[in-house]
Amino acid sequence: MSNFSTKYIFVTGGVTSSLGKGIIAASLGKLLSARGYKVTIQKLDPYINIDPGTMNPYEHGECYVTTDGAETDLDLGHYERFLANKTSQANNVTTGSIYQTVIEKERKGDYLGKTVQIIPHITDEIKRRIKILGDTNNFDFVITEIGGTVGDIESLPYIEAVRQIKWELQNSALYIHLTLVPYLSAAGELKTKPTQHSVKTLLESGIQPDILVCRTEHPLTENIKQKIALFCNVEKDAVIESIDAKTIYEVPLLMQKENLDKVVLRKLNLDDNSDVKLDKWKDFLFKLKNPNQEVNIGLVGKYIKLKDSYKSICEAFIHASTEKKCKVNIKWINAGSLTEKTIKEELDNLNGILVAPGFGDRGIEGKINAIKYVRENKIPFLGICLGMQCAVIEYARNILNMPGANSTEMKPNTKFPVIDIMEEQKEITNKGGTMRLGAYNCTLDKDSFSYNSYKTLKIEERHRHRYEFNNKYLNDFTKAGMQCVGNNPENNLVEIVEISSHPWFVGVQFHPEYSSTVLNPHPLFSGFIEACISNK
Ligand code: GLN
């Protein structure tokens, strides 16, 4: 939109963590982009890690990867899935990365002898990282989600930075605060006090929220809204109910019903009459709620106690299956406990198996056992990254007669290193941000399951790995029936392996799950679901 100065919306959270700030930010973004605005969403994370790439999934859930190779918070996955806009390095800022920049500048002498302090140097760097999205990409709206809970010591510099931004931009910025209105069953009442306290905490930092989004298990009565409005200095129609939803994909519509987008536009002095184009979204929701068949898919991984570890994979299943009016039931299978004895019982009755990405050798033999079973029993298989590497190892051991074949990640001195460290990775010792990351090209063979799904010869997919198929063995594999049907045209790295004599057996070195969105399910997930349906 021309002559439009970027508007900045800040989303904070109070009372408790896990209220779903990311989903509220993504839902508001969806509503604004459905009105034709160009929107991006950014996450500020208050931890000292430079990025979540070095964190265990049990600490932080899945690490999401952008096309430009940033290892980021999983909320960026929600932003992309809802908005279908790509995010980038700039969309995830951590305290570690802020300090790193400031300290590097200090070492270069950029502060000209000054004492370097949290205010103004850290806060200035935070402000720069927020504004950079509006300044360089012409976004109409930059929605910035501040991680953590208001009152946390570690998020104070972020709160101060966004206070200053609103002071500078005045009517071009606004604050949305997400809180919890708990229901006390003993009293039979919804309670507003935690919300009042959390707004007071924000006020102590100089921030008056413009809009309160109240998470609740029961509808907010007019009285409750009135009370929250009065005690928190917020207009009554800016007290937005956010009732628990059956699916996260319903939240944009719930927020629209509560007029969140209209209140936002009004408070930013913008016209709220524009059309909100959500037909396709509504169609998706209808199909999601009214499936006419089901498939059972096993997800073999080692972080199954925390479902967030495989967030994008689960969402990609939902996108692809919904398109086919099919419901996916995921059976979470702990790779560590899959032995030859338990395998039949564990994988029985499943219509397809996905073997998940991962690092290190824990659970790898279970993954290999699972792949042997699906290969021999002709069950559709999708292996992602380590899952693909395990398929190669299994084939080497059981078909190519290479006993003990392995990846050098698991066994550096294996006799048959069918998966080996990439040349450019050999000298790298730092762990953070040093893998092969982000989008790379891949060319497909026309005669393949993958081509049948993508229906195009040239694709681009995101990566996050250090090890690769060892091309020394390529001929052996091809002759024995496992083909490389996708490779990187620049350096010949194997990107996809398939077994064409199997009903559907695909292993990919990249991560298709990162680029699946609600309105554009990923072709490989669609192909896999189709194969699972046929296998019922
Ligand atoms: N650990 C393997 C590698 O680095 C696979 C990584 C992954 O599954 N993301 O190559």
Side-chain angles (χ1 to χ4, degrees):
M1 295 200 175
S2 55
N3 294 330
F4 189 96
S5 66
T6 306
K7 311 290 181 222
Y8 292 86
I9 299 174
F10 301 106
V11 181
T12 54
V15 184
T16 154
S17 58
S18 304
L19 287 181
K21 285 195 296 284
I23 300 297
I24 293 296
S27 298
L28 174 61
K30 178 73 206 168
L31 292 177
L32 294 171
S33 64
R35 287 173 178 268
Y37 290 108
K38 202 173 156 208
V39 183
T40 192
I41 314 179
Q42 175 189 47
K43 173 100 191 259
L44 307 182
D45 274 315
Y47 48 72
I48 309 288
N49 302 60
I50 304 292
D51 60 47
T54 52
M55 280 189 233
N56 182 315
Y58 278 153
E59 281 290 309
H60 193 266
E62 165 188 280
C63 171
Y64 185 78
V65 178
T66 58
T67 51
D68 67 346
E71 297 178 280
T72 73
D73 186 76
L74 60 76
D75 272 332
L76 272 77
H78 290 309
Y79 309 159
E80 288 204 16
R81 291 187 280 271
F82 275 58
L83 266 63
N85 282 350
K86 299 258 188 296
T87 53
S88 70
Q89 297 270 359
N91 291 73
N92 196 186
V93 172
T94 66
T95 295
S97 72
I98 296 283
Y99 273 80
Q100 190 181 43
T101 305
V102 171
I103 290 168
E104 273 168 13
K105 275 167 90 176
E106 185 275 334
R107 291 288 81 183
K108 277 197 259 156
D110 288 359
Y111 295 109
L112 305 175
K114 288 259 182 259
T115 308
V116 181
Q117 295 179 298
I118 293 180
I119 296 168
H121 302 101
I122 294 295
T123 45
D124 279 353
E125 179 58 19
I126 296 171
K127 283 160 65 183
R128 190 183 71 81
R129 301 281 191 103
I130 294 170
K131 288 185 182 160
I132 213 166
L133 281 172
D135 293 346
T136 54
N137 294 295
N138 297 323
F139 284 109
D140 299 322
F141 287 90
V142 175
I143 302 176
T144 299
E145 176 193 345
I146 300 170
T149 307
V150 161
D152 292 349
I153 291 174
E154 52 186 18
S155 48
L156 278 174
Y158 289 120
I159 299 287
E160 170 58 13
V162 305
R163 184 196 67 74
Q164 292 181 18
I165 290 188
K166 167 124 172 136
W167 174 247
E168 288 161 16
L169 298 178
Q170 297 288 328
N171 292 337
S172 286
L174 73 76
Y175 302 119
I176 298 179
H177 187 55
L178 185 60
T179 76
L180 176 72
V181 178
Y183 180 79
L184 288 195
S185 44
E189 267 181 348
L190 287 167
K191 291 293 181 190
T192 66
K193 198 73 86 187
T195 297
Q196 296 179 40
H197 281 297
S198 119
V199 170
K200 293 238 158 68
T201 307
L202 260 184
L203 283 167
E204 277 170 22
S205 301
I207 288 183
Q208 165 64 54
D210 299 285
I211 296 172
L212 292 174
V213 175
C214 305
R215 277 298 300 273
T216 174
E217 289 173 4
H218 296 271
L220 300 184
T221 60
E222 288 304 299
N223 259 346
I224 293 268
K225 283 193 173 181
Q226 187 69 59
K227 190 169 166 188
I228 294 174
L230 179 66
F231 291 128
C232 299
N233 310 324
V234 171
E235 286 169 288
K236 183 161 153 264
D237 72 349
V239 178
I240 305 285
E241 168 191 298
S242 170
I243 199 144
D244 290 356
K246 281 216 177 66
T247 144
I248 54 171
Y249 298 117
E250 202 172 3
V251 179
L253 300 181
L254 293 176
M255 290 301 103
Q256 187 188 27
K257 225 161 112 197
E258 285 284 301
N259 290 324
L260 175 62
D261 53 337
K262 287 196 170 190
V263 177
V264 164
L265 292 171
R266 191 187 76 219
K267 289 193 175 287
L268 292 169
N269 299 322
L270 295 167
D271 175 20
D272 67 2
N273 289 326
S274 46
D275 266 359
V276 192
K277 293 201 179 71
L278 285 170
D279 296 353
K280 287 188 183 151
W281 192 274
K282 287 180 183 163
D283 187 46
F284 167 84
L285 254 188
F286 178 82
K287 287 186 186 153
L288 181 62
K289 288 182 178 169
N290 298 285
N292 50 26
Q293 56 183 330
E294 297 190 7
V295 287
N296 299 317
I297 295 181
L299 193 161
V300 181
K302 65 174 177 179
Y303 297 109
I304 59 161
K305 275 193 234 133
L306 180 73
K307 308 285 187 268
D308 273 359
S309 307
Y310 303 112
K311 193 81 209 162
S312 294
I313 292 176
C314 297
E315 300 308 315
F317 273 138
I318 294 176
H319 308 153
S321 63
T322 299
E323 199 184 32
K324 302 187 188 323
K325 287 195 123 192
C326 174
K327 178 170 183 268
V328 171
N329 303 312
I330 296 181
K331 178 174 178 189
W332 298 82
I333 301 169
N334 181 6
S337 59
L338 274 185
T339 61
E340 277 179 48
K341 277 201 193 105
T342 61
I343 202 101
K344 185 163 170 21
E345 193 190 327
E346 285 275 7
L347 304 194
D348 210 24
N349 287 328
L350 293 172
N351 309 118
I353 296 287
L354 183 145
V355 176
F359 295 84
D361 66 354
R362 189 167 62 81
I364 173 154
E365 293 304 324
K367 289 182 173 177
I368 293 169
N369 286 334
I371 295 168
K372 178 167 188 279
Y373 184 87
V374 299
R375 182 178 55 73
E376 291 176 345
N377 290 284
K378 307 245 176 255
I379 299 169
F381 164 76
L382 178 58
I384 299 182
C385 209
L386 182 62
M388 169 266 198
Q389 298 177 353
C390 287
V392 169
I393 296 169
E394 190 278 325
Y395 213 74
R397 287 185 191 174
N398 298 320
I399 301 288
L400 288 165
N401 200 17
M402 296 179 179
N406 217 324
S407 161
T408 51
E409 177 182 6
M410 320 303 162
K411 209 167 188 359
N413 56 358
T414 170
K415 193 169 163 208
F416 300 107
V418 289
I419 302 292
D420 199 6
I421 189 146
M422 280 178 276
E423 203 47 48
E424 70 268 22
Q425 289 284 330
K426 286 185 177 158
E427 304 302 315
I428 296 174
T429 49
N430 260 5
K431 288 274 180 268
T434 55
M435 278 185 256
R436 179 171 182 250
L437 291 165
Y440 288 90
N441 293 325
C442 169
T443 312
L444 300 182
D445 268 12
K446 214 158 184 185
D447 188 16
S448 62
F449 300 120
S450 300
Y451 176 82
N452 282 344
S453 302
Y454 281 100
K455 301 199 169 54
T456 170
L457 287 170
K458 291 194 184 326
I459 59 166
E460 197 191 83
E461 293 283 2
R462 304 181 205 186
H463 294 70
R464 182 172 187 245
H465 64 126
R466 287 199 171 84
Y467 295 81
E468 57 162 332
F469 182 96
N470 187 343
N471 271 328
K472 195 171 105 188
Y473 296 100
L474 187 59
N475 271 339
D476 300 326
F477 276 85
T478 314
K479 272 193 235 145
M482 179 177 268
Q483 296 87 17
C484 160
V485 301
N487 77 330
N488 179 304
E490 282 98 42
N491 56 16
N492 227 11
L493 288 189
V494 171
E495 295 282 7
I496 310 177
V497 296
E498 292 187 0
I499 302 175
S500 60
S501 58
H502 187 279
W504 208 90
F505 190 104
V506 179
V508 291
Q509 184 55 75
F510 51 80
H511 291 263
E513 70 275 23
Y514 293 144
S515 46
S516 177
T517 72
V518 169
L519 300 183
N520 283 306
H522 193 283
L524 277 183
F525 275 84
S526 300
F528 180 49
I529 296 280
E530 252 168 51
C532 296
I533 294 173
S534 309
N535 177 42
K536 274 178 40 167

